[in-house]
Amino acid sequence: MPVLHFPTALLIIGLLFIMMPAFAWLVLSTRGSKAVTLFCAGGMALGAGISMLGMRNALPLWMTYALANFLFMLGILLRIQAFLIEVDKPWRAPT
């Protein structure tokens, strides 16, 4: 049975992290919500950061880790912004 190497696993997980928010945004984009857009973009940035760690032998290490850290922080900041937008919305009355 073949063993899945760690960089390959990171690439697969990174692609999943990119595709899941992309599909969620495709479905939820009809709402026109800025929070949904920012949350999904943050998830895609996190997935791109994980993929960069999986491709760490393709680029120089200083470039790979710097770009991966930038993408992680971008994803976290986008998700924080989405949360802050969502928190400021008034509660909806139950129907």
Side-chain angles (χ1 to χ4, degrees):
M1 182 172 186
V3 176
L4 191 63
H5 296 289
F6 189 66
T8 309
L10 282 175
L11 281 173
I12 292 170
I13 292 169
L15 287 175
L16 286 174
F17 266 75
I18 291 171
M19 295 306 294
M20 288 187 308
F23 286 132
W25 183 73
L26 184 67
V27 171
L28 297 174
S29 64
T30 56
R31 289 181 52 200
S33 173
K34 292 178 187 173
V36 168
T37 302
L38 287 172
F39 190 82
C40 292
M44 288 185 273
L46 290 171
I50 293 171
S51 294
M52 284 302 300
L53 290 179
M55 296 186 299
R56 63 182 176 263
N57 292 332
L59 297 170
L61 249 103
W62 64 269
M63 188 185 304
T64 304
Y65 287 133
L67 188 57
N69 283 330
F70 171 75
L71 289 168
F72 286 142
M73 288 309 299
L74 178 68
I76 290 168
L77 291 174
L78 285 173
R79 287 191 165 195
I80 288 171
Q81 186 66 32
F83 176 73
L84 292 176
I85 289 173
E86 198 65 35
V87 165
D88 289 339
K89 290 183 180 178
W91 285 90
R92 294 184 179 97
T95 58

